[in-house]
Amino acid sequence: MTSDIASAYTQAYVWIWLPNSAAPVVAGVLSRDQKQLIFNYGRSYLARADAIAIYAPELPLQAGAIPLLPGLAMPGCIRDASPDAWGRRVLINRKHGARGADAATIELDELTYLLESGSDRIGALDFQLSPTRYLPRRAQQVSLEELLTAAEKVEHGIPLSAGLDLALQHGTSLGGARPKVLMEDGNRQLIAKFSASNDLYNVVKAEFIAMRLAAQVGLDVAPVQLTSALGKDVLLIERFDRQCHQSGWLRRAMVSALTMLEFDEMMAAYASYEKLAEIIRHRFLDPKTTLRELFGRIVFNILCGNTDDHARNHAAFWDGQHLALTPAYDICPQPRAGQEASQAMLISGGDRRSQLTSCMAAAPIFLLKPADAIGIVNTQVTLIEQEWNTVCGEANLSEVDRNFFWRRQFLNPFAFYGAPDEVRMPQG
C-alpha cells in the first residue's frame, strides 16, 4: 500500500525557456484545487509578442484557469517535466532517509516533486516559488565516481551527505526508472546511466549496443558512449533538448507521446502507435518521413527485444506551432525468459505482439506499402547481423554475454513467427 505524504505547497510558478532564449520567463502558475493541479497563464506572459503555448492542444494561450482534459489530475505537458521513478526515489531518500529504500510505499505530493527536483529538467520548463525571481536548483560539481556512490546509497536507502545530496538532486528531474545523473562536458550535456543493484545482466551494455545498432540501421537516435567508474560500466547519452549557444544553454520544449495521446500513467496501457500515427499525420512537420521513422523504431524495438516502449519513451519537440519527433532514446532490451513477448504500446487495434507480422499489418497506418515495410525490416535484420560483432566489440562484451543476448533479446525467433515469406530470416 502506498502512503501519500502531505505537502505544504499550494502552488508553483511555471517558468519557460522560449525558443532561442538562454534565460527563462514566468509563464503562469500551477495551483492546487482539491486533488487537481490547475494552470493559469500570467497576464504579463500573455502580453508578450513572443509567447508560446506550453503545449497548444492542452494549454492554449488564453486567460483564466484552463480546464483539465478528461481523466487527468494535472496538465500532461507539465507532468512531462516532473521526475519519474528514479528522480522520485532520490527525493524520497532525501526527505525520509533510510525509508527511501522502500520507496514504493511512499509517495510525495506532485508539487513537491516539481519544486524540489533539480532545475535542469527535460524540456524547457522549471518550477519556482516566486513569479519574479528565478533561482535555479543547481548541484556542485562532483566526480562520476562520487555520483555512482551516491546512486548506490539511494538504492539501499542510505542518507547522503549534504554535498552528494545536492549533486544527485541535480538529476532528479529526469524521467525513467534507472539510476542516472546529469553531467556537462564542454559543449555537450549528458545523461549518465548506472547499473542497478537488482540487474540480472549487464543492462548498461545492452542499452549501449541497442542504441548503437539502432543508429547503424539508419534510425535517428541520441548519441551514446560507454565509460566506467569504480570498475562499473556507465552509459553516457548526449542530450538533444539542449543546444550550446554563445549566450548560454538553449532549451528545447518537448512533450511525451503520453501527453500527445491525452493520457496519464493510469491510462498508459491504452496508448497505441495507431493513434500516435494519426496525430503525426495531422500535427507534425514532415509527417510522411516521421511515420516511416516511427515504423522503423517499432520494428527495431521488436528485433532488439525492447518491450519497454511505453508512451513516455517517445517524445516530440514543440516550438509553439509544430511538433517534430525527437531522436530515439531508452532503447533497452528487456529480460526475457522465453520467446513470447508483447510491446508496451498497442501496434494496431488490440495487437501488441512483439512480432513482425504485427508491423506488416500496421504498415498502411504509417503510409507504407507492403514492399516498403518489408524493405525496412530486411534492411534492419541484415545490418544487425552485419554490425553485431563490431558493436559488441565497441562494448567489450564478453562471449558469454554475446551468447546471452543473441537470438534471445536480439533477433528472437518469436519476432519472425508468421512473417511474410519475403521477410529475411536471421542466419544461425
Side-chain angles (χ1 to χ4, degrees):
M1 181 178 292
T2 301
S3 174
D4 292 326
I5 307 298
S7 169
Y9 300 119
T10 59
Q11 62 183 22
Y13 290 95
V14 181
W15 290 65
I16 186 171
W17 276 256
L18 293 169
N20 302 314
S21 176
V25 297
V26 66
V29 63
L30 187 70
S31 302
R32 187 192 310 282
D33 183 3
Q34 297 182 354
K35 292 187 177 181
Q36 297 181 330
L37 295 177
I38 307 296
F39 181 76
N40 286 258
Y41 283 107
R43 284 178 294 182
S44 62
Y45 185 74
L46 292 173
R48 294 181 64 101
D50 58 351
I52 67 169
I54 294 176
Y55 179 50
E58 184 176 35
L59 296 180
L61 283 174
Q62 64 185 49
I66 301 176
L68 293 170
L69 295 174
L72 300 188
M74 67 181 295
C77 57
I78 292 179
R79 172 60 180 87
D80 282 342
S82 186
D84 279 342
W86 170 249
R88 292 173 185 241
R89 187 170 182 179
V90 173
L91 289 173
I92 289 168
N93 177 277
R94 182 183 184 211
K95 297 179 75 68
H96 299 285
R99 292 169 61 194
D102 197 15
T105 66
I106 301 173
E107 189 64 50
L108 303 178
D109 178 87
E110 200 65 43
L111 285 174
T112 300
Y113 289 128
L114 293 174
L115 288 165
E116 297 193 19
S117 53
S119 290
D120 195 8
R121 61 190 71 245
I122 295 299
L125 299 180
D126 194 22
F127 306 92
Q128 299 280 311
L129 289 171
S130 170
T132 58
R133 189 181 182 194
Y134 180 74
L135 296 173
R137 297 176 291 281
R138 289 182 178 145
Q140 65 184 49
Q141 292 296 314
V142 297
S143 69
L144 189 57
E145 288 77 11
E146 289 174 300
L147 290 169
L148 176 56
T149 299
E152 290 175 341
K153 286 185 177 181
V154 167
E155 281 201 284
H156 293 92
I158 300 171
L160 302 176
S161 66
L164 283 181
D165 180 53
L166 288 173
L168 206 59
Q169 182 200 27
H170 186 46
T172 53
S173 50
L174 298 174
R178 300 192 59 77
K180 59 179 70 68
V181 295
L182 294 172
M183 299 177 59
E184 193 169 313
D185 177 28
N187 62 355
R188 299 187 305 162
Q189 289 199 23
L190 306 169
I191 297 171
K193 283 189 177 181
F194 306 132
S195 299
S197 58
N198 60 349
D199 284 347
L200 301 178
Y201 59 95
N202 196 320
V203 177
V204 168
K205 285 189 175 180
E207 183 169 348
F208 170 82
I209 291 167
M211 292 286 284
R212 288 286 296 117
L213 285 172
Q216 295 285 9
V217 304
L219 297 176
D220 179 20
V221 301
V224 295
Q225 66 185 87
L226 273 178
T227 187
S228 63
L230 300 177
K232 297 185 178 181
D233 296 309
V234 179
L235 179 66
L236 301 179
I237 307 107
E238 188 170 335
R239 294 184 65 172
F240 46 72
D241 62 335
R242 297 291 183 267
Q243 292 178 311
C244 187
H245 188 266
Q246 60 183 10
S247 60
W249 288 101
L250 307 182
R251 303 192 181 195
R252 299 191 68 180
M254 289 169 48
V255 290
S256 70
L258 197 65
T259 290
M260 289 183 272
L261 293 166
E262 301 183 355
F263 290 154
D264 66 5
E265 276 72 15
M266 299 299 292
M267 299 181 274
Y270 301 102
S272 78
Y273 285 111
E274 184 174 13
K275 179 61 177 177
L276 182 56
E278 181 183 337
I279 292 170
I280 289 170
R281 289 195 297 272
H282 291 96
R283 298 189 202 164
F284 274 62
L285 293 169
D286 196 2
K288 187 172 182 179
T289 300
T290 303
L291 288 169
R292 185 182 182 90
E293 170 74 18
L294 182 60
F295 182 84
R297 294 183 189 187
I298 301 170
V299 169
F300 187 80
N301 281 332
I302 289 172
L303 293 179
C304 80
N306 175 33
T307 54
D308 192 34
D309 57 335
H310 57 79
R312 281 210 184 281
N313 279 346
H314 300 278
F317 295 121
W318 166 251
D319 66 4
Q321 293 186 340
H322 304 105
L323 292 163
L325 202 63
T326 71
Y329 56 95
D330 284 355
I331 303 176
C332 186
Q334 300 299 303
R336 196 161 178 165
Q339 292 192 358
E340 190 168 343
S342 298
Q343 299 305 119
M345 283 178 61
L346 296 162
I347 297 174
S348 65
D351 184 10
R352 64 173 82 242
R353 293 171 299 160
S354 303
Q355 292 187 312
L356 296 173
T357 183
S358 301
C359 296
M360 294 300 107
I365 297 169
F366 296 88
L367 307 182
L368 292 171
K369 295 179 180 178
D372 294 327
I374 289 172
I376 290 170
V377 170
N378 288 346
T379 296
Q380 290 197 15
V381 173
T382 299
L383 289 172
I384 289 171
E385 286 189 313
Q386 288 180 357
E387 301 297 329
W388 173 253
N389 284 325
T390 299
V391 173
C392 287
E394 292 177 10
N396 196 25
L397 194 68
S398 70
E399 195 65 31
V400 170
D401 283 340
R402 294 188 195 200
N403 292 334
F404 177 82
F405 291 133
W406 188 247
R407 303 306 302 276
R408 182 178 298 183
Q409 275 89 357
F410 293 87
L411 304 187
N412 189 295
F414 179 73
F416 296 86
Y417 289 172
D421 293 339
E422 295 86 351
V423 168
R424 184 182 184 281
M425 297 297 169
Q427 305 299 308

